[in-house]
Amino acid sequence: MDVIHLSAECYPVAKVGGLGDVVGALPKYLNQAGINASVVLPYYDRKFVQENTFDTVFKSSTTAAGKTFNYSVLKESTRQLGFDLFLIYIEGLLDRKEIYCYPDEIKQFISYQVCVLDWINKTKMKPDVIHCHDHHSGLVPFLIANSSLFKDLAMIPTVCTIHNGQYQGWLGWDKVAYLPSIDLSKAGLLDWNNCINSLAASVKCCWKFTTVSPNYLKELSVNSNGLEKLFQLEARKGIGIINGIDTQVWDPETDPMIVKNFNAKTADQGKKENKKSLCKEFGLSDTKPLVVFIGRLVGEKGAELLPLAIDSCLKKYKGKVNFIVLGSGEPEIEKELEELKLRHKKQCGVYIGYDEELSHRIYASADFLMMPSRVEPCGLNQLYAVRYGTMPVVHRTGGLADTVIDMDDSGGYGITFNKLEAEELVNAVGRGLEVYKDQNKMSDLRKKMMSLDFSWGRSAKEYIELYKNLIISHAV
Ligand code: ADP
Ligand code: GLC
């Protein structure tokens, strides 16, 4: 079975958040299970691309976003990621460093999607499924079904996975001419609230859509940044499949980025040594419980609560806890965190920026990881934390509710709280500090967390089942 994944991110080529992790891992696990899954990304002028070799496998020209242009398809030559990786290159448009936030982003992603379809069409490739991730490839299911250019592809089943329904790829109706040769009588499929909405079009036109946790699927019908009604209407097409993690990349026993490798048996000592080194780097004492946050500093992650909650913890649990925050995002939150660091130099370390290696060292060193997310479609941080024996402290929402069981409940290993308020987070951290006093209990909880299996193995099977059902339904 041939499955083509379309995405803006894929670790280690291009990652901003969890989308990159998922698209870098799921196709690898699908290949291990016998599915020929490949990934097609826009070309990025980034480290991975600069340092590896690519063969040009196709060259052509097409028209999109109001322009006719040449494009090339490059293929990574060694298959080192465990799947075939293709990049769409367009000089001056898809040859840049950053993944998002260019003023002509609309042109970039429309051109990317049209090139992918043009390439599949002209080479007469016959993928069994095209799997689109988030809104950046959300117009593909519409184009396949409603552009005369791609009528030969119309019977290819499409799957759309929603990693984040907050961002929807909106464009004004004046941009409809950017889409080549479409049947304008079907333009209503592109519309949501009087603008072209790429994610809504994807949900309407795909054969099936998935969300990255079952709970998030339920939440979208009541909270999805304006698309609630759509998710209610299309509910029968939706399936919630929880993300997995790449246990080959995220393995404390072999992770080359951490100071001391460890497993469930050696976790107590191993984590201590990692913590010692990390705390030294941040100028903190290593004898106290270490509570951390890693992530985008935005409202979705509840990051605006951090400055107040950390400040309150440092007062309420004076001398009994240290914090480290790694992240970047809204300037106001960044500023408040920097000020917090200055006020509590010896208790709070803050690194504003993105640092993959540092994130691994933090997961390996920390005792507790906070996730006060307001919206969390799945969340991977809590899964990495658990794998590295770090107890997650989470707001019970989205995928966090599906993956973290409170330590007071049967089979539990984490700390959950229900109300998204700084005080609730402070109390949740307090529960962590209480259990930390009993090092035997802490050690048992660590072992329990590290024995859990959140690997992609299980979830990849659910995607395979979905693909098979689509292919069967299409054959009938
Ligand atoms: P989201 O995709 O919404 O940001 P996830 O929990 O799914 O959230 O995934 C976040 C991923 O990005 C994890 O791999 C996390 O470790 C990583 N990450 C987030 N912020 C940073 C950062 N500042 N530095 C390094 N890694 C980060
Ligand atoms: C999104 C979500 C996050 C999820 C990730 C991978 O960025 O915000 O919750 O884990 O995608 O699916």
Side-chain angles (χ1 to χ4, degrees):
M1 187 195 303
D2 294 335
V3 180
I4 299 185
H5 288 261
L6 307 183
S7 168
E9 298 181 34
C10 173
Y11 178 81
V13 190
K15 167 177 165 183
V16 170
L19 170 64
D21 286 337
V22 170
V23 179
L26 171 62
K28 176 164 108 181
Y29 280 79
L30 289 172
N31 273 280
Q32 286 166 8
I35 305 292
N36 179 28
S38 54
V39 174
V40 190
L41 291 185
Y43 180 101
Y44 299 108
D45 187 17
R46 295 173 83 85
K47 193 166 181 272
F48 182 91
V49 178
Q50 291 155 0
E51 291 177 357
N52 290 282
T53 51
F54 287 80
D55 304 313
T56 301
V57 291
F58 188 71
K59 274 185 166 189
S60 190
S61 65
T62 190
T63 301
K67 232 183 132 185
T68 299
F69 52 84
N70 296 322
Y71 72 94
S72 322
V73 183
L74 310 177
K75 182 180 178 192
E76 193 274 317
S77 54
T78 64
R79 219 176 184 270
Q80 61 182 288
L81 302 180
F83 50 83
D84 284 337
L85 168 73
F86 298 94
L87 307 178
I88 304 289
Y89 177 86
I90 305 172
E91 195 181 343
L93 193 66
L94 298 183
D95 57 356
R96 303 181 190 161
K97 194 171 168 45
E98 300 307 326
I99 303 170
Y100 304 118
C101 292
Y102 288 104
D104 56 354
E105 186 174 279
I106 290 174
K107 284 190 181 168
Q108 288 187 298
F109 285 115
I110 289 184
S111 304
Y112 157 70
Q113 295 174 77
V114 171
C115 286
V116 172
L117 293 179
D118 192 66
W119 167 49
I120 294 176
N121 200 26
K122 285 180 178 156
T123 52
K124 304 216 179 308
M125 251 186 260
K126 291 268 180 284
D128 296 292
V129 177
I130 297 183
H131 190 150
C132 306
H133 295 269
D134 275 350
H135 73 83
H136 318 99
S137 49
L139 295 170
V140 161
F142 172 84
L143 286 169
I144 286 187
N146 301 297
S147 166
S148 58
L149 291 180
F150 307 125
K151 57 181 188 309
D152 290 348
L153 310 181
M155 287 316 290
I156 301 176
T158 49
V159 173
C160 147
T161 291
I162 300 167
H163 297 262
N164 195 333
Q166 295 298 110
Y167 306 99
Q168 300 169 2
W170 304 272
L171 37 150
W173 270 107
D174 56 321
K175 303 286 187 309
V176 71
Y178 280 14
L179 306 177
S181 308
I182 60 165
D183 176 355
L184 283 172
S185 72
K186 299 286 172 51
L189 290 167
L190 294 167
D191 186 77
W192 198 260
N193 282 342
N194 302 321
C195 68
I196 298 178
N197 183 312
S198 308
L199 191 69
S202 194
V203 171
K204 290 186 208 178
C205 301
C206 70
W207 292 34
K208 284 277 178 193
F209 73 89
T210 70
T211 58
V212 289
S213 69
N215 197 35
Y216 188 53
L217 179 62
K218 289 187 214 147
E219 289 180 357
L220 285 173
S221 294
V222 285
N223 177 16
S224 50
N225 202 8
L227 297 184
E228 296 76 11
K229 188 84 194 149
L230 175 69
F231 285 109
Q232 289 160 25
L233 289 169
E234 299 284 356
R236 70 191 160 79
K237 282 203 320 201
I239 303 172
I241 302 179
I242 197 84
N243 283 335
I245 59 172
D246 187 334
T247 47
Q248 287 145 7
V249 173
W250 296 91
D251 182 357
E253 208 163 3
T254 55
D255 190 335
M257 301 185 214
I258 66 178
V259 168
K260 175 80 186 170
N261 290 115
F262 59 91
N263 56 30
K265 280 195 198 128
T266 57
D268 294 345
Q269 186 57 26
K271 285 185 73 72
K272 213 180 247 173
E273 288 185 38
N274 281 291
K275 181 163 149 185
K276 193 169 181 185
S277 157
L278 185 76
C279 286
K280 190 163 175 223
E281 189 180 328
F282 277 87
L284 308 174
S285 132
D286 60 60
T287 57
K288 294 174 189 168
L290 178 62
V291 182
V292 301
F293 173 92
I294 299 173
R296 294 180 290 121
L297 300 174
V298 295
E300 263 175 74
K301 300 287 177 193
E304 81 288 354
L305 297 181
L306 290 173
L308 175 61
I310 295 176
D311 199 53
S312 305
C313 283
L314 289 172
K315 285 178 187 142
K316 188 167 175 185
Y317 315 121
K318 204 168 170 40
K320 294 187 183 134
V321 59
N322 285 335
F323 288 87
I324 291 182
V325 175
L326 163 64
S328 64
E330 285 169 19
E332 190 53 33
I333 305 178
E334 291 184 354
K335 190 170 141 251
E336 280 184 45
L337 286 167
E338 293 280 20
E339 285 166 6
L340 182 78
K341 177 174 79 176
L342 291 178
R343 282 204 305 281
H344 302 283
K345 272 199 189 107
K346 295 208 163 130
Q347 290 83 36
C348 182
V350 173
Y351 181 99
I352 300 295
Y354 185 93
D355 189 330
E356 187 77 24
E357 213 171 289
L358 177 57
S359 79
H360 282 242
R361 287 190 284 123
I362 295 179
Y363 288 118
S365 309
D367 299 296
F368 303 94
L369 172 101
M370 299 181 286
M371 292 185 77
S373 307
R374 184 164 278 112
V375 182
E376 196 62 85
C378 177
L380 296 173
N381 297 24
Q382 80 279 15
L383 306 182
Y384 298 143
V386 159
R387 177 111 172 112
Y388 284 68
T390 300
M391 189 185 277
V393 179
V394 308
H395 177 222
R396 205 194 296 253
T397 190
L400 297 175
D402 283 337
T403 52
V404 180
I405 305 174
D406 192 274
M407 62 180 176
D408 285 350
D409 295 337
S410 144
Y413 46 85
I415 296 175
T416 63
F417 58 97
N418 290 317
K419 254 199 195 158
L420 193 61
E421 286 170 3
E423 201 186 329
E424 287 267 315
L425 177 56
V426 172
N427 292 337
V429 169
R431 287 181 63 206
L433 301 183
E434 256 332 286
V435 69
Y436 186 87
K437 287 183 191 158
D438 183 345
Q439 277 299 303
N440 289 334
K441 186 159 183 201
M442 202 63 205
S443 178
D444 288 346
L445 283 165
R446 244 176 229 143
K447 287 196 180 76
K448 185 189 275 181
M449 285 187 261
M450 293 183 72
S451 70
L452 299 170
D453 178 14
F454 282 113
S455 130
W456 266 113
R458 194 171 32 97
S459 300
K461 282 198 191 110
E462 294 187 50
Y463 279 104
I464 295 173
E465 216 29 53
L466 166 65
Y467 300 150
K468 282 188 179 156
N469 288 338
L470 284 179
I471 294 168
I472 293 168
S473 72
H474 156 53
V476 181

